[in-house]
Amino acid sequence: MTLCCLTSMLLSLLFLSLTHPLINYTLPSSSLTPNLLFFSKSTVSSMAESGFEGFEKRLELHFTGNEPIIHMGLRQIDLNSLEQILRTVHCSIVSSVGNHFFDAYVLSESSLFIYPTKIIIKTCGTTQLLKSIFPFLHQARSLGLTLSSCRYTRGNFIFPKSQPFPHSSFKEELLYLEESLPENLHYRKASVIPSNLPSHSWHVFTAADDAALLHRNPEFLYTVEICMTELDRILARKFYFRSGDGKTGNSIGKEMTNLTGIGDINPSGLICEYAFFPCGYSMNGIDGDRYSTIHVTPEDGFSYASFECVGSVYDDPDDLVRMLKKVVQIFRPAAMSMATTGASHEVWALVAGALDPLGLKCRSCAVDEFPSAGSVVFQTFTARRK
């Protein structure tokens, strides 16, 4: 595809997204990754010596700005600029989808979501996620936007000694965050929320300015982040790439979505998926202004899967329970953790009760409070066979 054609296509898609809010668009993988049929995680990101690091690092940035540009805001960052930022992190875009509300990018290592005034990026492997802060702030300033809050979260790395700077320790990450964030974000807190499982704890850092602290969670949304380890071996085999027949990572990914039942987790959502060679799977789901995402590292010995979604305090909690039941049935992990940020007591209490009949027993539950982010509830579960 020529640069002229690609530019024309992107302008057309932008016009459609502005004038037809219900239209979803997908950038073809040929426009994002020319001359590549599929990505191998082992070649895109340096592997840990013992295996691929499944546990993701997650960064969420919120901005404020002048009303006239809020409609598109950060979504005006062009594709070349995004790719440059991601090269700093050591990952790249492999597929993309969007609607009137936000853009969702499947990365060679996990996902990126861009709203008019919010960025969420999570990356696995040996990526250097926090190095994206400075370039994202630079792009935001050029659009007249100012950072108002930040949240960084992650679980325990399987291969912590393989993590590069600035992720070799939580202390190092905190020092980097302190140096990277503007001074107006002076309400800051860091904590490691423990559990009864040595392999699962939750690292959290939040920072907010006066306005973010005063208007905490105005949309009444909460975030659920699930980390699953020791996946069922038979189910994990479904995420191995069956090469041949000229199929691409996109087409194999769609087959995996249908084969595993991932498409049934939220039937009303639009899914953008990708399969990696020789194994691995990522998907982003978009449903109105909400996203969901799944990432799978199926290798035996360090198998891992994650699921993340957004809910509202006004939603029926049973809807979340139904989704989480399907997720557990797809992977059948031996161990699982769930971090819920900004939800009511009813939500996480219902989850613990709902997973018990599926053979997952709640082993620990801890709560901590953070500026602007609100309460973070961290629960761990193990299969009864453990």
Side-chain angles (χ1 to χ4, degrees), residues 323-344:
M323 281 200 300
L324 296 187
K325 281 183 174 180
K326 290 179 181 177
V327 170
V328 169
Q329 290 168 338
I330 288 169
F331 298 104
R332 292 182 193 165
M336 176 181 126
S337 67
M338 185 175 85
T340 310
T341 302
S344 64

Side-chain angles (χ1 to χ4, degrees), residues 306-364:
S306 67
F307 172 75
E308 179 179 334
C309 68
V310 179
S312 168
V313 295
Y314 298 117
D315 292 344
D316 183 349
D318 289 334
D319 292 339
L320 173 65
V321 168
R322 280 191 288 271
M323 281 200 300
L324 296 187
K325 281 183 174 180
K326 290 179 181 177
V327 170
V328 169
Q329 290 168 338
I330 288 169
F331 298 104
R332 292 182 193 165
M336 176 181 126
S337 67
M338 185 175 85
T340 310
T341 302
S344 64
H345 167 83
E346 182 184 12
V347 171
W348 54 265
L350 268 175
V351 168
L355 296 183
D356 191 73
L358 299 179
L360 285 176
K361 182 175 178 60
C362 186
R363 302 295 181 180
S364 64

Side-chain angles (χ1 to χ4, degrees), residues 57-365:
K57 318 161 185 86
R58 182 186 185 276
L59 179 68
E60 182 169 334
L61 303 172
H62 290 253
F63 298 84
T64 57
N66 299 321
E67 281 301 320
I69 64 165
I70 290 301
H71 183 65
M72 288 300 290
L74 296 163
R75 299 179 68 186
Q76 297 177 83
I77 301 175
D78 63 86
L79 197 60
N80 286 336
S81 297
L82 284 180
E83 286 283 17
Q84 288 178 11
I85 295 172
L86 295 173
R87 277 196 292 272
T88 303
V89 176
H90 294 297
C91 62
S92 57
I93 298 171
V94 298
S95 194
S96 175
V97 70
N99 60 14
H100 180 62
F101 299 98
F102 69 103
D103 302 307
Y105 301 88
V106 176
L107 306 180
S108 54
E109 275 81 10
S110 301
S111 293
L112 167 66
F113 303 96
I114 300 183
Y115 290 77
T117 59
K118 177 171 64 178
I119 292 173
I120 300 168
I121 179 171
K122 60 189 301 182
T123 61
C124 55
T126 54
T127 50
Q128 297 169 285
L129 173 68
L130 294 181
K131 287 189 174 182
S132 67
I133 294 177
F134 279 123
F136 273 135
L137 293 185
H138 173 74
Q139 291 290 331
R141 280 193 296 269
S142 70
L143 296 169
L145 296 169
T146 303
L147 185 67
S148 59
S149 70
C150 165
R151 184 164 93 240
Y152 175 70
T153 56
R154 69 167 175 85
N156 276 5
F157 295 127
I158 301 173
F159 308 108
K161 293 182 179 179
S162 298
Q163 289 297 315
F165 174 84
H167 297 284
S168 62
S169 69
F170 191 44
K171 180 180 179 180
E172 186 176 74
E173 291 171 325
L174 293 180
L175 288 173
Y176 194 90
L177 282 160
E178 292 285 353
E179 294 172 355
S180 303
L181 298 176
E183 292 182 358
N184 64 300
L185 273 64
H186 46 255
Y187 297 101
R188 304 183 181 192
K189 180 177 178 178
S191 179
V192 179
I193 305 177
S195 78
N196 291 341
L197 303 182
S199 59
H200 287 265
S201 62
W202 198 242
H203 303 67
V204 184
F205 169 85
T206 66
D209 65 8
D210 293 314
L213 193 70
L214 184 63
H215 304 289
R216 190 171 77 176
N217 195 13
E219 299 172 316
F220 299 99
L221 298 178
Y222 63 83
T223 305
V224 176
E225 299 171 70
I226 290 178
C227 303
M228 297 169 279
T229 55
E230 301 175 68
L231 311 181
D232 180 275
R233 293 183 178 183
I234 295 175
L235 296 176
R237 296 298 301 179
K238 296 180 181 180
F239 296 97
Y240 276 75
F241 195 112
R242 296 170 179 81
S243 60
D245 302 325
K247 293 182 178 179
T248 66
N250 297 94
S251 60
I252 296 291
K254 192 168 294 294
E255 290 179 7
M256 290 180 180
T257 298
N258 296 328
L259 176 67
T260 59
I262 287 175
D264 298 325
I265 295 174
N266 179 19
S268 64
L270 174 66
I271 292 179
C272 178
E273 60 272 278
Y274 198 88
F276 297 90
F277 182 83
C279 61
Y281 169 90
S282 289
M283 96 50 161
N284 290 333
I286 63 173
D287 187 2
D289 62 350
R290 301 185 192 178
Y291 70 88
S292 62
T293 186
I294 290 176
H295 304 284
V296 186
T297 300
E299 290 98 323
D300 196 23
F302 49 93
S303 61
Y304 171 86
S306 67
F307 172 75
E308 179 179 334
C309 68
V310 179
S312 168
V313 295
Y314 298 117
D315 292 344
D316 183 349
D318 289 334
D319 292 339
L320 173 65
V321 168
R322 280 191 288 271
M323 281 200 300
L324 296 187
K325 281 183 174 180
K326 290 179 181 177
V327 170
V328 169
Q329 290 168 338
I330 288 169
F331 298 104
R332 292 182 193 165
M336 176 181 126
S337 67
M338 185 175 85
T340 310
T341 302
S344 64
H345 167 83
E346 182 184 12
V347 171
W348 54 265
L350 268 175
V351 168
L355 296 183
D356 191 73
L358 299 179
L360 285 176
K361 182 175 178 60
C362 186
R363 302 295 181 180
S364 64
C365 180

